[in-house]
């Protein structure tokens, strides 16, 4: 049966040809793709029409990659040099956990093949310096695997607990030089009971323990102050960054993940005492943390008072190494553009739609800011600014349409809006710093960073599922854009 599924996948892994204008027309089975407009922009992998597609900007080709019938593709990831592409496929089933496959291909979509014999629990990503993929494997994350482009796997960590088989690799992060991998584990009932962060040399050798806390211990009050340093905590790695060390989210109060605002802790070296930098969005659905090549750090900080919605209390802040506090980007909470939202409670004014007074347009507190992204060399910070959302649960289409794209220069303290771009989400810089790729109205658009006219590259990402229907949403309005596409840009 597996061989049949693979054969079916190989049949549909075909190249879709563009017309004379270099554009692939949208159909019931294919997305719209402007191959000519993406010429020379590298490799773009995206999910559309329940398939993974690879757009090669060099050859201007579009290929549909194999996915077994009845399986849902997700999380395309290109390697650091654009040579390789990884993606996952999950089967529709009532089994828990449902089966997940790992597929590998070349960056242009050719040579796609299934990695056999691997239970996938989480896709960590490619090494920042080598063609090596990190994967959390095993049932409920009991192993950590390194995967080579040809499909060979190597087990780096395996959790064995014969007394009580409740242990897992919860998260992982590559070191900046790619020589080590930080792995956070959670174990219950054994000698290593508790949460532990260790760094494992990729080439092999003894790991170093950076931080460990047992389930019978209280987390330091300065980290879990809102629940008195409660026992049974979790530490989910966010990244390993130059000048900062490892960053991890702390889930306090009985290992509770506060998706709308968890403590972001930093630890500089093995055995050091972690410190809390700020509270940020913490489910990984949106781009809540951005790190520049030289260690510049920007986060989406959360103020829990207005509510859990993505459109309330979120502010882009810049954090400087050595400072105790992060500072909000100037104007990051001010909205002065048009706002076509309508209050769902007719008896309340727009400034009190959710029962919480908001500032008038043009004043601090009238907006939110999201999706920070550093340019190459961390000279400029792109981010999204929007009005306060006026709906409960998740915002409506009018709120997403109001998003504007801004660039902040931390050296001069100046901010400028990018052309007439609106409806923007999760901007990503080209390696040369000349262009920005972003999501708008369920498509991917490319805009010159100097403010020229944007061009739609591919469409759709989610439809016909229903972008604003709730099926595409995660926690309180967060749309998992980054699970739908990945871009490798050549440095030019």
């Amino acid at each position: 049966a597996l061989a049949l599924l693979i054969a079916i996948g190989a049949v549909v892994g075909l190249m879709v040809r563009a017309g004379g204008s270099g554009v692939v027309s949208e159909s019931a089975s294919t997305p719209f793709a402007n191959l000519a407009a993406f010429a020379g922009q590298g490799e773009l992998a995206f999910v559309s029409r329940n398939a993974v597609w690879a757009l090669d900007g060099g050859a201007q080709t579009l290929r549909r990659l194999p996915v077994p019938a009845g399986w849902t593709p997700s999380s395309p990831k290109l390697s650091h040099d654009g040579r390789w592409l990884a993606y996952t496929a999950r089967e529709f089933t009532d089994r828990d956990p449902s089966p997940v496959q790992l597929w590998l291909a070349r960056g242009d979509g050719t040579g796609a093949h299934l990695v056999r014999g691997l239970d996938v629990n989480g896709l960590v990503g490619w090494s920042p310096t080598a063609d090596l993929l990190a994967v959390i494997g095993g049932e409920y994350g009991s192993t950590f695997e390194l995967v080579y482009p040809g499909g060979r796997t190597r087990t780096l960590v395996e959790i064995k607990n014969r007394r009580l088989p409740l242990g897992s690799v919860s998260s992982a992060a590559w070191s900046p030089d790619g020589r080590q991998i930080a792995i956070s584990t959670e174990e219950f009932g054994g000698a290593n009971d508790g949460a532990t962060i260790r760094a494992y040399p990729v080439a092999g050798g003894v790991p170093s323990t950076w931080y460990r806390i047992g389930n019978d211990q209280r987390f330091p009050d300065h980290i879990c102050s809102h629940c008195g340093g409660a026992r049974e905590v979790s530490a989910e790695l966010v990244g390993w960054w130059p000048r900062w060390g490892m960053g991890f989210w702390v889930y306090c109060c009985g290992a509770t993940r506060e998706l709308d605002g968890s403590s972001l802790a930093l630890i500089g070296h093995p055995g050091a005492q972690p410190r809390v930098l700020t509270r940020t969005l913490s489910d990984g659905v949106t781009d809540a943390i951005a790190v520049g090549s030289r260690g510049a750090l920007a986060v989406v900080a959360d103020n829990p008072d207005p509510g859990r919605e993505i459109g309330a209390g979120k502010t882009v802040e810049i954090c400087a190494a050595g400072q105790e506090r992060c500072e909000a980007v100037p104007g990051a909470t001010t909205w002065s553009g048009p706002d076509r939202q309508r209050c769902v409670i007719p008896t309340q004014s727009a400034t009190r739609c959710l029962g919480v007074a908001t500032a008038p347009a043009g004043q601090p507190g009238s907006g939110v800011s999201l999706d920070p992204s550093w340019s190459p060399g961390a000279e400029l910070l792109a981010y999204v600014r929007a009005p306060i959302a006026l709906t409960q649960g998740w915002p409506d289409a009018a709120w997403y349409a109001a998003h504007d794209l801004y660039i902040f220069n931390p050296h001069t303290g100046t901010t400028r809006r990018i052309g007439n771009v609106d409806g923007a989400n999760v901007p990503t810089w080209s390696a040369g710093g000349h262009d920005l790729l972003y999501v708008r109205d369920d498509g991917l658009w490319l805009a010159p960073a100097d403010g020229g006219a944007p061009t739609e590259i591919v469409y759709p990402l989610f439809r016909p599922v229903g972008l604003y229907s709730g099926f595409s949403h995660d926690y309180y309005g967060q749309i998992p854009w980054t699970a739908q596409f990945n871009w490798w840009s050549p440095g030019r």
Side-chain angles (χ1 to χ4, degrees):
L2 179 61
L4 178 60
L5 288 174
I6 295 173
I8 294 173
V11 170
V12 300
L14 302 175
M15 184 172 69
V16 179
R17 300 190 180 277
S21 62
V23 173
V24 174
S25 299
E26 181 188 9
S27 69
S29 59
T30 61
F32 164 85
N34 192 335
L35 309 187
F38 199 71
Q41 293 286 355
E43 310 289 356
L44 177 63
F46 63 100
V47 178
S48 182
R49 304 297 192 205
N50 202 41
V52 177
W53 303 82
L55 197 169
D56 180 13
Q60 299 184 45
T61 57
L62 180 68
R63 285 184 171 84
R64 178 173 178 166
L65 278 67
V67 175
W71 293 57
T72 301
S74 180
S75 306
K77 294 184 183 294
L78 288 153
S79 61
H80 77 105
D81 52 10
R83 295 180 58 198
W84 302 100
L85 169 63
Y87 63 96
T88 60
R90 182 181 295 273
E91 184 182 17
F92 281 114
T93 177
D94 294 332
R95 283 180 287 173
D96 183 24
S98 57
V100 178
Q101 293 180 346
L102 174 66
W103 288 75
L104 298 176
R106 295 183 180 88
D108 62 0
T110 60
H113 56 281
L114 172 68
V115 178
R116 296 183 177 87
L118 179 63
D119 294 327
V120 180
N121 194 270
L123 188 57
V124 176
W126 294 92
S127 163
T129 59
D131 293 333
L132 186 62
L133 183 69
V135 175
I136 298 175
E139 188 175 17
Y140 300 106
S142 59
T143 68
F144 190 85
E145 311 286 342
L146 296 177
V147 183
Y148 297 84
R152 181 173 68 88
T153 63
R154 174 163 64 93
T155 301
L156 191 65
V157 176
E158 183 175 7
I159 296 178
K160 295 181 178 180
N161 189 333
R162 294 183 179 180
R163 284 182 53 197
L164 191 63
L166 293 177
S168 66
V169 175
S170 62
S171 55
W174 286 95
S175 66
D177 61 7
R179 296 180 180 178
Q180 301 180 78
I181 296 179
I183 297 177
S184 178
T185 58
E186 299 175 13
E187 299 182 57
F188 299 87
N192 294 320
D193 180 89
T196 307
I197 297 177
R198 299 184 181 91
Y200 289 81
V202 173
V206 179
S208 57
T209 300
W210 282 57
Y211 190 74
R212 184 182 182 280
I213 183 168
N215 283 327
D216 60 348
Q217 296 177 278
R218 295 171 64 87
F219 232 60
D221 286 345
H222 72 282
I223 293 181
C224 293
S225 58
H226 56 296
C227 57
R231 294 175 174 83
E232 293 188 6
V233 298
S234 298
E236 180 172 340
L237 284 160
V238 185
W240 189 344
W241 311 307
R243 303 174 63 191
W244 296 96
M246 295 182 191
F248 62 97
W249 284 310
V250 180
Y251 303 141
C252 305
C253 315
T256 300
R257 175 199 286 263
E258 297 174 278
L259 301 174
D260 50 316
S262 292
S263 298
L264 174 63
L266 301 171
I267 184 168
H269 57 81
Q273 179 74 10
R275 67 181 181 92
V276 171
L277 184 65
T278 186
R279 287 171 58 87
T280 75
L281 294 175
S282 64
D283 64 351
V285 170
T286 59
D287 286 351
I289 297 177
V291 181
S293 58
R294 301 174 185 174
L297 183 63
V299 303
V300 178
D302 176 72
N303 178 357
D305 293 336
R308 292 181 168 182
E309 287 80 5
I310 188 68
K314 310 302 184 289
T315 309
V316 171
E317 297 183 348
I318 292 180
C319 312
Q323 294 185 0
E324 293 298 322
R325 297 180 58 186
C326 303
E327 299 292 337
V329 171
T333 65
T334 301
W335 177 258
S336 56
D339 186 357
R340 295 179 176 84
Q341 297 180 90
R342 293 185 177 181
C343 185
V344 295
I345 307 176
T347 59
Q348 294 186 342
S349 66
T351 57
R352 294 191 61 85
C353 186
L354 297 180
V356 177
T358 58
Q363 298 295 320
S366 59
V368 296
S369 48
L370 304 161
D371 303 336
S373 178
W374 287 107
S375 67
E379 299 296 327
L380 301 171
L381 180 70
Y383 71 97
V384 169
R385 198 185 300 178
I388 298 292
L390 300 181
T391 53
Q392 297 279 6
W394 50 74
D396 59 15
W399 181 76
Y400 287 102
H403 288 199
D404 287 344
L405 186 57
Y406 286 83
I407 290 180
F408 173 65
N409 187 330
H411 305 288
T412 63
T414 57
T415 300
R416 60 183 173 90
R417 184 184 172 192
I418 299 296
N420 293 320
V421 170
D422 56 9
N425 299 275
V426 291
T428 303
W429 289 88
S430 64
H434 305 297
D435 302 288
L436 284 161
L437 184 75
Y438 61 94
V439 175
R440 178 181 183 271
D441 194 24
D442 203 24
L444 287 171
W445 293 69
L446 192 68
D450 60 7
T455 303
E456 189 169 27
I457 303 300
V458 297
Y459 168 91
L461 298 178
F462 283 101
R463 291 175 183 167
V465 172
L467 178 58
Y468 305 114
S469 66
F471 293 105
S472 302
H473 290 68
D474 205 280
Y475 190 81
Y476 279 84
Q478 299 182 48
I479 297 179
W481 300 117
T482 52
Q484 297 296 111
F485 74 95
N486 193 230
W487 179 30
W488 174 81
S489 168
R492 63 180 180 85

